[in-house]
Amino acid sequence: MSNPVLVFIDHDRGAVGDDTRQAFAFARACLPDAAVAAVVIGGDTTPAVTGADTIWHVRHAELDDYAPEAWGDALHQLAAEVTPSAIVTTGTERGNEVLAHVAAIADEPFAANVVAATPGAPWQIRRARWGGSLLEDATLTAVLPILSCALHAYPSDPSTTSTTSTTSNPNVAEFVPVLQPDAGRTRIVDRVQVAEGITLTTAPVVVSGGRGVGSEEGFAAIEALAELLGGAVGCSRVVTNQGWRPHADQVGQTGKRVAPDLYIACGISGAIQHWVGMQAAKQILAINLDRDAPMVTKADYAVIGDLHEVIPAIVDEIRRRRAAT
Amino acid sequence: MSALRILVSVKRVPAPGAQITLTADARAIDARNLGFTTSPHEECAVEEAIRLVDTHGGDITVLTVGPPEADEQLRYAISVGAHHAIRVGNEEIASGEDPDPQATARAIADAVLALEAEAGVFDVLLFGNESADSGGFQVGVRVARALGRPIVNGIKAIDIADGVLTARRECDTGFEVYRMPLPAAVGVKEGINLPRYATLPGRLRAKKADVQTIDASPPRGGLATVQFATPAVEVTETVLLGTGADAAGAVVDLLSELGLA
């Protein structure tokens, strides 16, 4: 039996996302013989994260809200005590940030965007690079291997659910790190809420517009369709560069990664930089004038035509059918 | 308000959307017919530095670890408003080798210390959140750790007042706010601003600007490229639902099937 693998749990004040399940899937795929030890940093309540064999609850006054430096210090100290066979997580913003801190403190390599990994001396890994347009085969030579998987590269196991609750869990162990007085200097000090309800990364449907939308006003029909479907509006990079939509709506390599049940791509050609942001969608519907556009040829469903005619017609048809029932 | 000394770390990368081909042995990308640019997050970091100096005064040093061709990206930064350009490298880097993240961070940290010994501490170090080509998510964190400076990644707004840097990071429902004492480091994300274009006088200034070179031979880190591969192209049977507005019925049938309409 090898040493346990530590899985960093990205949570915001106790709330976890699907990325936690992906992290467990990644850990078990890499190290099937190792015990999976979830690491939950911060919070008063004892977390119950299902999907792990054991849980480390890391507690300290400086750790209660997210603080990248202090969380990195704490995880590094835990690793020094446990000597895990690896530290892994999913490549979320916090996942990559905390593991980068641990790697920097330990002066160990850190492999991000991993899509395949085989332990050994050295580890053989495969990483997605250039936004997924190329794969890199690499070796990872480390005393403490540190890896994050690319988002959605390891489908989550539906049998594991990740929640935090107040129920006591027999497999929880506490760890209290020793932190420097200024370790919490990068803590979150405030939050500004902009969106409520459905957000781009959690919406079951994303209706997304590209260059073909043509203007800021052109998004009115896309917004109407998204609202009817209980979805969110997304866009491509050219749209934010034109100032038609805020950058927060951008899907792609330099924007958000989404994995909705349905992605409706309107007037988006489907360059690789956009594709990597939405390729995890379960179904893709492309609406485009060009039947040879990559988005059309890679989509599950397509409508060839002018989105300015097609989308209002879809909106009307949905309203007509709803009125009839 | 005191003037700011800002250093921006940038990387030369293949232009987004470029068709990348590999060398015959697949150990490197074939750069011969490739367009290059500044990695997008870092282009925004340069713009943010210019805006901070417009507000507070000060000067901007732009630094890259890269081959002589990367002077093109340094000169771009000068053309839009940076003041000093530094290229860090050695023979291997000059011949096109992309150093691993640990080696890159050591080279940058050593160069920053050397520059600071000459002309004083940089109040702000700006990095891109991750490079467009390598996507390592770590060089800025490693440099900041080596220098003992606070750093937060993923930043989409920066304000500086009274020696404190306030940074906003986008999250699913809005923004998280961080406050750090200067000197500090920040990993910037695209969307923090829209970078400006160079003016003609700016381009002339950039053409004449000196690029200072610093030799660095940092030890290699533990991540080493073996070869590259092109991902398999997924073949999808696309179901055509129709053309133009007439397709609306078929689309709504599909939406109903998926339980959405």
Side-chain angles (χ1 to χ4, degrees):
Chain A
M1 194 72 186
S2 49
N3 287 354
V5 52
L6 291 182
V7 178
F8 168 74
I9 304 298
D10 176 353
H11 72 94
D12 189 59
R13 294 163 291 172
V16 296
D18 181 67
D19 58 86
T20 295
R21 290 186 282 270
Q22 295 170 38
F24 289 143
F26 178 43
R28 294 197 189 277
C30 290
L31 295 154
D33 298 330
V36 171
V39 181
V40 181
I41 300 176
D44 281 335
T45 55
T46 308
V49 179
T50 36
D53 300 311
T54 56
I55 297 164
W56 283 101
H57 186 200
V58 182
R59 301 184 64 172
H60 190 285
E62 295 289 345
L63 299 171
D64 280 345
D65 206 341
Y66 182 62
E69 291 181 295
W71 283 35
D73 287 333
L75 180 53
H76 174 252
Q77 284 180 28
L78 176 64
E81 176 138 328
V82 176
T83 58
S85 40
I87 303 178
V88 306
T89 195
T90 305
T92 59
E93 196 141 53
R94 290 184 180 184
N96 280 331
E97 185 172 43
V98 171
L99 262 52
H101 276 283
V102 175
I105 301 162
D107 196 17
E108 289 279 3
F110 163 41
N113 268 329
V114 172
V115 295
T118 309
W123 281 52
Q124 308 289 330
I125 60 160
R126 175 164 268 203
R127 301 176 57 225
R129 286 191 50 169
W130 284 280
S133 55
L134 277 186
L135 298 168
E136 174 195 12
D137 290 324
T139 53
L140 181 69
T141 308
V143 175
L144 174 61
I146 302 170
L147 307 91
S148 73
C149 60
L151 267 176
H152 308 298
Y154 287 83
S156 54
D157 178 350
S159 70
T160 63
T161 51
S162 308
T163 53
T164 59
S165 76
T166 51
T167 53
S168 65
N169 186 318
N171 295 323
V172 174
E174 280 203 9
F175 178 75
V176 180
V178 180
L179 299 176
Q180 298 296 315
D182 66 349
R185 63 188 174 176
T186 49
R187 191 194 298 110
I188 293 176
V189 293
D190 198 3
R191 284 180 169 82
V192 180
Q193 187 159 332
V194 176
E196 268 183 281
I198 295 161
T199 63
L200 188 52
T201 47
T202 59
V205 186
V206 174
V207 188
S208 204
R211 186 190 299 274
V213 178
S215 66
E216 190 177 339
E217 298 74 32
F219 273 88
I222 287 176
E223 281 178 354
L225 180 57
E227 200 186 326
L228 277 176
L229 299 177
V233 174
C235 68
S236 68
R237 186 162 182 250
V238 66
V239 168
T240 49
N241 278 350
Q242 293 287 340
W244 300 342
R245 298 293 297 183
H247 193 275
D249 288 356
Q250 186 179 313
V251 173
Q253 188 184 347
T254 52
K256 294 204 166 89
R257 312 271 162 135
V258 300
D261 294 332
L262 177 66
Y263 190 83
I264 306 180
C266 311
I268 299 176
S269 66
I272 184 75
Q273 285 73 22
H274 185 75
W275 185 256
V276 298
M278 42 63 72
Q279 62 185 358
K282 292 192 185 71
Q283 305 278 346
I284 297 163
L285 165 61
I287 300 172
N288 208 297
L289 276 169
D290 177 6
R291 68 174 65 229
D292 297 321
M295 183 61 80
V296 173
T297 59
K298 288 156 100 173
D300 301 287
Y301 302 94
V303 174
I304 308 304
D306 184 350
L307 66 97
H308 298 99
E309 293 165 12
V310 177
I311 296 171
I314 296 169
V315 167
D316 287 348
E317 180 65 13
I318 294 171
R319 289 195 175 127
R320 192 186 65 75
R321 291 194 195 182
R322 286 188 185 171
T325 53
Chain B
M1 190 70 222
S2 56
L4 296 171
R5 252 169 74 71
I6 303 180
L7 180 132
V8 189
S9 176
V10 302
K11 186 177 184 187
R12 172 183 168 88
V13 299
Q19 191 66 44
I20 295 170
T21 52
L22 301 178
T23 55
D25 64 0
R27 293 178 65 86
I29 59 164
D30 185 349
R32 282 173 302 178
N33 297 315
L34 209 49
F36 283 83
T37 185
T38 304
S39 191
H41 295 314
E42 290 147 27
E43 195 180 339
C44 293
V46 170
E47 173 67 29
E48 195 63 18
I50 297 164
R51 293 183 188 199
L52 287 169
V53 165
D54 281 348
T55 305
H56 301 281
D59 70 81
I60 301 163
T61 301
V62 58
L63 176 149
T64 193
V65 176
E69 291 84 355
D71 285 358
E72 185 188 339
Q73 280 62 46
L74 296 173
R75 289 187 195 282
Y76 145 77
I78 299 271
S79 75
V80 288
H83 304 90
H84 312 289
I86 315 285
R87 176 165 48 79
V88 181
N90 56 41
E91 266 178 38
E92 282 172 346
I93 293 169
S95 68
E97 187 179 302
D98 192 16
D100 69 79
Q102 287 168 283
T104 304
R106 284 179 189 132
I108 295 172
D110 289 348
V112 168
L113 286 175
L115 293 168
E116 291 187 337
E118 276 171 30
V121 171
F122 290 105
D123 301 292
V124 184
L125 305 176
L126 295 180
F127 297 89
N129 194 61
E130 88 278 4
S131 65
D133 62 344
S134 182
F137 294 90
Q138 58 190 277
V139 167
V141 171
R142 288 186 188 275
V143 174
R145 279 277 177 181
L147 300 173
R149 316 244 165 115
I151 183 166
V152 179
N153 265 350
I155 294 307
K156 282 195 162 183
I158 296 174
D159 278 302
I160 294 176
D162 305 322
V164 174
L165 187 153
T166 303
R168 301 218 302 184
R169 165 148 142 182
E170 198 178 34
C171 58
D172 206 29
T173 53
F175 290 97
E176 299 163 352
V177 182
Y178 298 84
R179 266 185 217 110
M180 297 178 275
L182 297 181
V186 178
V188 166
K189 259 191 146 173
E190 185 183 86
I192 190 172
N193 53 45
L194 268 182
R196 71 194 64 193
Y197 294 106
T199 58
L200 186 60
R203 267 183 260 159
L204 293 173
R205 188 172 63 240
K207 218 171 159 182
K208 286 185 283 189
D210 283 328
V211 173
Q212 184 188 337
T213 55
I214 295 180
D215 278 328
S217 292
R220 284 173 197 272
L223 188 62
T225 301
V226 177
Q227 61 177 10
F228 293 106
T230 310
V233 180
E234 283 178 59
V235 180
T236 309
E237 280 297 321
T238 306
V239 177
L240 201 62
L241 296 177
T243 50
D246 295 341
V251 171
V252 181
D253 288 347
L254 170 69
L255 295 172
S256 304
E257 230 172 87
L258 297 173
L260 297 167

